[in-house]
């Protein structure tokens, strides 16, 4: 089976992505999860992973090329010999759908998660013919992880709606057309109609029932080899009532079947051990800043404002970048300090706290490490590694911890603050 | 309190009820002159005469049929069936007639009849005189089934049975007739459907009938030495069954073994174990175990016969396994 590799949409206002480099060559065997290529948008550089195992074939975009969001740029095939080029996809985003649609700019279904093929149109907030501003919310989209509002992206008129509430639209597929002039005949149609050949008579389409999500956001609970855990009904009931996981006994190697007395053993097992349950699948976002503005800024802050704790400043800059600010740990050379920035307060107000961090800042600027891939951790981790005069910033988190948009926003904002910390004060 | 034998207790119960109610009469093979082969009824014919203590021909279907008719027309017969094994001979009279008259007459007829018979192996009586067939009659709606476990229960249950307006089958263990137990001299009755907690415990519940109560009590003694606390419960009547007491106990101990001398398959133990599984499932920390007689005709050979029935050692061994969390018979 072939799987198309498309240009993901990494930001809401993003029409195209630049291919920084291919990390696999045509014909290479790839495993699901292997990074295929790097994409650069405004600030973030991001690796795009293979969604299936196979061979990379049909590569139709080269390094340095700007590719429209949703365009097919390669294919994962069952054999390395598959050399039919991937359609340099009629990037649906780039051009308005043909036929009788009004002229204008297409609004496409955004890719809100890396593993997302389609989005469910929850509902329209504007009607065909309405005048819209760039920041007006046009429609709501639901994926298996979140529901999200999509903005018009430009001023104009909603000239056409190309999907109805309840319909699934492929990522990158057209959802609306925004025209500059008020449309004479605003169009409202459904995906079903668009798929069918232009029918002679309009067929009213009913909204389809919400399909079952094809993937679950959470990794499946770990199962011991051998499947079902043997336990007495009472042990099972008590475990359920007390929130104890019998699978941990199995993983720790205690022989089954389990009885009530084994619950004591279970209670005494060390609490941790949840690392394996934390995102096996992980998000990894990489940003680069050409210049590390932090040393100059902290020196200035210490000299002018007497803020001598550089870690507190670093933590505060990160906390301000988080969609929902929370405690930030700064890890450097085995030392960890956690800071909380009270809501609405300035950089100088970051205070040490014992709370569990919502983000770990791993400062490896003094090291020789240039790139990290730590894998799933219990808390999102942002790693700073040196690169020339600048820095590489790597954000890793489980999809369940932070959605794609938040991750992108966090890394983008933090990159900006690291490069020019003074801008933060403006 | 005075101690009397189970045999004396039955005799007293019948005599007291015959004195109290002149419609009560007794009939069966060798009940009058011989006082039964087990001498349970000795002396009754002297007090009540041959009009109320009647020797019958050796014809079980005939005299049980007579008793059903007498009960339907106002008398309160006690029928003596010399061996439980002879139940097969009276199935129609008991199960088709006695059990169903009240229902089929729309409540106009009652059959206040007691069928006294016995159970129990290890008396070297061979396969046709050693069976424990309580499951056979407990299966039939309309019959009540009592299983006294000592002289005390034998007296109290017999008196209740005689006063009951429904047909009651009462099984005495033929090996327990000479066993003594404290029995009050003053009158008492034991209501049906009330289990007796013979011994309290916290780790496992033994539910045992008739002579198996003694087996369970001995097993509980043995286990106490190992630090395992066993509760022993005697349901006393299996129809009606005091489910609530059994379930309460199992909820406390989380484990149970049901012991009855009938064949294990499709038997009393299976029924009680099933009810515990249905109604106390989420309180069970081990499978409910059945211990009945082996599914074989009772052997005549003493060496073989003795190993076909549950023993205190066997019960204790299974109890240890259940309490240790070992799997027994498990897939």
């Amino acid at each position: 089976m072939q799987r198309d590799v498309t240009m993901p949409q990494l930001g809401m206002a993003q029409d195209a992505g630049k291919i920084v480099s291919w990390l696999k060559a045509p014909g290479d065997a790839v495993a699901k999860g292997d990074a295929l290529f790097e994409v650069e948008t405004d600030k973030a550089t991001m690796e795009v992973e293979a969604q299936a195992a196979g061979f990379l074939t049909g590569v139709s975009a080269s390094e340095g090329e700007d590719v429209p969001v949703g365009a097919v740029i390669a294919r994962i095939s069952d054999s390395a010999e598959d050399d039919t080029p991937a359609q340099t996809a009629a990037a649906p985003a780039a051009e308005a759908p043909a036929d009788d649609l009004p002229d204008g700019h297409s609004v496409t279904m955004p890719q809100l998660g890396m593993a997302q093929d389609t989005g469910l149109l929850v509902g329209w907030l504007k009607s065909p013919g309405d005048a819209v501003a760039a920041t007006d919310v046009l429609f709501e989209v639901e994926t298996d992880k979140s529901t999200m509002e999509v903005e018009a992206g430009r001023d104009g008129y909603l000239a056409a709606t190309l999907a109805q509430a309840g319909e699934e639209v492929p990522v990158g597929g057209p959802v609306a057309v925004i025209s500059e002039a008020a449309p004479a005949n605003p169009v409202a149609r459904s995906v079903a109609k668009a798929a069918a050949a232009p029918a002679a008579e309009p067929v009213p389409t009913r909204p389809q029932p919400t399909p079952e999500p094809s993937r679950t956001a959470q990794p499946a609970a770990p199962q011991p080899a051998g499947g079902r855990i043997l336990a007495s009904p009472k042990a099972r009931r008590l475990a359920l009532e007390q929130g104890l996981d019998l699978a941990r006994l199995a993983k720790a190697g205690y022989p089954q079947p389990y009885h009530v007395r084994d619950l004591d053993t279970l209670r005494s097992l060390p609490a941790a051990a949840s690392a394996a349950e934390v995102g096996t699948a992980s998000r990894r976002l990489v940003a680069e800043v050409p210049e590390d503005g932090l040393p100059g800024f902290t020196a200035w802050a210490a000299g002018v404002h007497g803020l001598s704790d550089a870690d507190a400043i670093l933590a505060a800059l990160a906390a301000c970048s988080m969609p929902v600010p929370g405690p930030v740990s700064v890890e450097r050379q085995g030392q960890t300090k956690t800071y909380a920035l009270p809501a609405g307060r300035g950089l100088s107000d970051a205070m040490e706290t014992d709370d569990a961090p919502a983000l770990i800042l791993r400062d490896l600027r003094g090291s020789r490490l240039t790139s990290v891939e730590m894998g799933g951790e219990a808390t999102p981790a942002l790693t700073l590694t040196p690169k020339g005069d600048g820095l590489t910033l790597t954000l890793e988190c489980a999809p369940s911890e932070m959605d794609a948009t938040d991750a992108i926003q966090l890394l983008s904002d933090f990159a900006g603050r690291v490069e020019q910390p003074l801008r933060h004060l403006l | 309190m005075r101690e009397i034998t189970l045999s004396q207790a039955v005799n007293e119960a019948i005599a007291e009820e015959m004195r109290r109610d002149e419609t009560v009469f007794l009939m069966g093979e060798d009940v009058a002159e011989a006082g039964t082969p087990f001498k349970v009824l000795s002396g009754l014919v002297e007090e009540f005469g041959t009009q109320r203590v009647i020797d019958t021909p050796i014809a079980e279907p005939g005299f049980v049929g007579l008793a059903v008719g007498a009960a339907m027309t106002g008398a309160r017969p006690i029928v003596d069936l010399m061996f439980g094994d002879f139940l097969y001979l009276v199935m129609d009279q008991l199960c088709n007639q006695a059990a169903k008259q009240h229902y089929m007459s729309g409540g106009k007829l009652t059959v206040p009849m007691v069928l006294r018979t016995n159970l129990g192996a290890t008396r070297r009586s061979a396969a046709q005189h050693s069976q424990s067939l309580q499951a056979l009659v407990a299966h039939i709606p309309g019959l009540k089934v009592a299983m006294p476990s000592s002289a005390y229960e034998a007296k109290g249950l017999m008196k209740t049975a005689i006063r009951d307006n429904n047909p009651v089958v009462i099984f005495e263990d033929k090996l327990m007739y000479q066993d003594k137990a404290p029995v009050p001299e003053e009158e008492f009755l034991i209501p049906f459907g009330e289990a007796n907690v013979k011994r309290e415990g916290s780790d496992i519940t033994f539910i045992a009938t008739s002579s198996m109560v003694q087996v369970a009590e001995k097993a509980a003694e043995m286990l106490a030495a190992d630090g395992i606390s066993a509760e022993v419960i005697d349901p006393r009547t299996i129809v009606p069954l005091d489910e609530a007491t059994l379930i309460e106990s199992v909820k406390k101990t989380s484990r149970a073994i049901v012991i009855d001398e009938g064949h294990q398959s499709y038997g009393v133990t299976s029924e009680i174990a099933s009810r515990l599984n249905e109604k106390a499932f989420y309180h069970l920390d081990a499978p409910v175990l059945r211990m009945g007689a082996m599914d074989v005709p009772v052997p005549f050979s003493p060496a073989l016969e003795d190993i076909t029935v549950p023993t205190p050692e066997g019960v204790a061994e299974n109890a240890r396994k259940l309490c240790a969390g070992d799997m027994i018979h498990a897939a």
Side-chain angles (χ1 to χ4, degrees):
Chain A
M1 206 193 103
Q2 293 181 344
R3 282 271 206 135
D4 288 338
V5 177
T6 58
M7 172 60 64
Q9 184 163 31
L10 302 175
M12 281 296 94
Q14 180 202 348
D15 292 328
K18 181 179 185 179
I19 297 182
V20 178
S21 62
W22 280 96
L23 303 172
K24 295 282 180 186
D28 277 1
V30 297
K32 186 176 177 184
D34 280 358
L36 292 179
F37 59 97
E38 280 189 321
V39 177
E40 183 183 288
T41 64
D42 304 344
K43 286 230 173 56
T45 301
M46 179 156 181
E47 290 182 353
V48 177
E49 296 174 351
Q51 296 301 326
F55 295 87
L56 182 66
T57 60
V59 174
S60 60
S62 49
E63 295 184 352
E65 195 175 326
D66 274 313
V67 179
V69 165
V72 177
I73 54 172
R75 190 184 292 129
I76 306 285
S77 305
D78 290 335
S79 98
E81 270 68 52
D82 186 354
D83 54 1
T84 45
Q87 306 156 319
T88 316
E95 59 200 37
D99 65 58
D100 51 351
L101 287 181
D103 288 340
H105 186 86
S106 272
V107 179
T108 59
M109 176 59 66
Q111 185 163 28
L112 303 174
M114 281 294 93
Q116 179 201 344
D117 299 326
T118 62
L120 175 73
L121 190 89
V122 177
W124 285 99
L125 300 171
K126 295 284 179 188
S127 304
D130 284 0
V132 294
T135 54
D136 282 355
V137 175
L138 280 187
F139 55 90
E140 282 189 327
V141 174
E142 182 182 294
T143 66
D144 44 7
K145 295 194 189 74
S146 60
T147 301
M148 169 143 197
E149 292 176 340
V150 177
E151 296 175 359
R154 63 187 62 212
D155 298 339
Y157 293 87
L158 181 57
T161 61
L162 306 175
Q164 294 184 341
E167 286 189 322
E168 292 268 349
V169 182
V171 165
V175 181
V177 175
I178 306 286
S179 61
E180 287 180 14
N185 297 302
V187 172
R189 59 169 63 159
S190 70
V191 170
K193 183 177 176 202
E201 67 272 37
V203 183
T205 48
R206 279 172 295 133
Q208 293 157 358
T210 309
E212 289 291 306
S214 55
R215 299 172 189 82
T216 49
Q218 299 294 332
Q223 289 288 323
R228 184 179 166 82
I229 291 168
L230 299 180
S232 79
K234 186 172 185 178
R236 228 175 251 288
R237 175 176 61 84
L238 292 177
L240 194 68
E241 286 172 359
Q242 297 167 17
L244 299 168
D245 182 6
L246 291 168
R248 295 184 58 214
L249 273 179
K251 280 165 80 177
Y254 290 93
Q256 300 176 33
Y258 301 127
H259 299 87
V260 172
R261 77 163 62 121
D262 296 311
L263 298 180
D264 290 335
T265 313
L266 177 53
R267 274 184 217 103
S268 66
L269 285 180
S274 58
E277 293 160 29
V278 176
T280 40
S282 63
R283 295 189 195 287
R284 179 166 183 269
L285 288 74
V286 181
E288 286 177 10
V289 292
E291 198 178 331
D292 179 1
L294 291 170
F297 181 70
T298 49
W300 171 80
V304 177
H305 295 281
L307 298 174
S308 56
D309 189 347
D311 290 345
I313 293 171
L314 187 58
L317 287 172
C320 294
S321 308
M322 294 166 73
V324 182
V328 177
S329 278
V330 178
E331 265 184 45
R332 186 183 303 106
Q333 294 168 345
Q335 304 240 342
T336 302
K337 276 189 267 183
T338 304
Y339 297 90
L341 186 62
R345 308 297 293 274
L347 288 185
S348 56
D349 295 318
M351 296 190 303
E352 279 204 63
T353 175
D354 292 328
D355 292 347
L359 177 71
I360 297 170
L361 258 186
R362 204 166 272 137
D363 184 359
L364 302 179
R365 281 180 293 175
S367 79
R368 307 186 69 86
L369 296 179
T370 56
S371 172
V372 293
E373 183 152 1
M374 301 297 194
E377 292 183 80
T379 308
L382 212 171
T383 308
L384 284 64
T385 45
K387 173 154 188 174
D389 292 337
L391 293 175
T392 301
L393 308 175
T394 308
L395 173 64
E396 293 181 279
C397 62
S400 56
E401 291 165 353
M402 203 180 283
D403 74 24
T405 315
D406 286 352
I408 291 164
Q409 189 202 327
L410 165 58
L411 189 60
S412 302
D413 288 2
F414 185 68
R417 288 189 163 96
V418 166
E419 189 176 355
Q420 292 182 301
L422 276 172
R423 254 177 46 186
H424 171 82
L425 301 179
L426 299 178
Chain B
M1 198 187 298
R2 64 165 183 159
E3 292 203 349
I4 59 171
T5 63
L6 191 147
S7 179
Q8 287 171 311
V10 173
N11 190 303
E12 271 188 19
I14 292 173
E16 284 175 20
E17 291 305 301
M18 287 179 76
R19 279 177 215 129
R20 184 188 61 80
D21 181 351
E22 61 180 16
T23 64
V24 177
F25 73 98
L26 184 64
M27 69 173 164
E29 296 158 358
D30 286 340
V31 295
E33 297 308 319
T36 80
F38 302 100
K39 304 300 171 201
V40 174
L41 306 178
S42 302
L44 291 180
V45 71
E46 282 78 9
E47 180 178 351
F48 298 103
T50 53
Q51 291 296 301
R52 292 181 70 192
V53 183
I54 305 165
D55 272 333
T56 65
I58 304 176
E60 287 84 359
F63 68 76
V64 173
L66 278 173
V68 176
M72 286 161 60
T73 51
R76 303 187 84 88
I78 304 165
V79 195
D80 186 294
L81 198 61
M82 192 183 287
F83 282 89
D85 311 66
F86 304 161
L87 275 169
Y88 299 128
L89 290 164
V90 304
M91 274 292 148
D92 186 63
Q93 287 71 23
L94 188 63
C95 301
N96 266 335
Q97 309 304 330
K100 296 180 172 60
Q101 288 308 318
H102 185 69
Y103 175 80
M104 296 188 72
S105 69
K108 288 180 181 152
L109 296 173
T110 54
V111 184
M113 172 185 112
V114 177
L115 188 86
R116 236 198 100 231
T117 189
N118 53 37
L119 57 72
T122 69
R123 190 171 167 270
R124 323 304 178 213
S125 301
Q128 295 161 319
H129 294 77
S130 303
Q131 297 171 83
S132 302
L133 299 178
Q134 54 276 24
L136 220 59
V137 287
H139 186 65
I140 308 302
L143 300 178
K144 294 184 178 179
V145 183
M147 299 182 68
S149 60
S150 78
Y152 175 78
E153 277 81 18
K155 182 168 182 186
L157 292 172
M158 176 60 79
K159 287 171 69 84
T160 303
I162 292 168
R163 296 183 190 190
D164 199 295
N165 281 337
N166 300 286
V168 177
V169 184
I170 187 159
F171 288 89
E172 295 150 10
D173 190 303
K174 58 177 93 74
L175 278 97
M176 288 174 61
Y177 282 124
Q178 299 313 313
D179 288 2
K180 286 191 171 181
V183 178
E185 295 196 46
E186 58 275 22
E187 179 171 68
F188 69 97
L189 286 88
I190 297 176
F192 284 4
E194 261 187 34
N196 182 26
V197 180
K198 299 278 288 187
R199 177 191 179 106
E200 295 210 8
S202 56
D203 294 329
I204 187 164
T205 301
F206 297 150
I207 297 161
T209 61
S210 188
S211 58
M212 292 299 111
V213 174
Q214 290 180 12
V215 168
E217 286 183 303
K218 283 180 192 157
E221 278 303 320
M222 298 161 73
L223 291 166
D226 303 346
I228 294 174
S229 163
E231 182 148 301
V232 178
I233 300 185
D234 171 15
R236 301 202 286 206
T237 53
I238 55 170
V239 181
L241 181 68
D242 181 3
E243 263 183 18
T245 298
L246 307 186
I247 289 168
E248 261 332 289
S249 173
V250 170
K251 281 165 84 169
K252 177 176 68 173
T253 62
S254 316
R255 305 175 187 90
I257 301 179
V258 191
I259 312 149
D260 176 86
E261 208 183 327
H263 295 302
Q264 181 167 301
S265 293
Y266 306 98
V268 171
T269 55
S270 305
E271 174 62 27
I272 294 176
S274 278
R275 295 203 201 184
L276 296 177
N277 275 331
E278 286 170 4
K279 299 184 180 177
F281 183 78
Y282 297 103
H283 301 273
L284 292 173
D285 202 27
V288 177
L289 222 62
R290 298 165 300 151
M291 291 186 72
M294 265 185 210
D295 292 324
V296 295
V298 178
F300 179 58
S301 151
L304 293 178
E305 183 179 23
D306 288 349
I307 60 171
T308 62
V309 293
T311 59
E313 293 75 19
V315 173
E317 190 189 336
N318 277 336
R320 283 189 202 99
K321 286 183 186 168
L322 289 184
C323 292
D326 291 348
M327 289 171 118
I328 302 179
H329 311 313

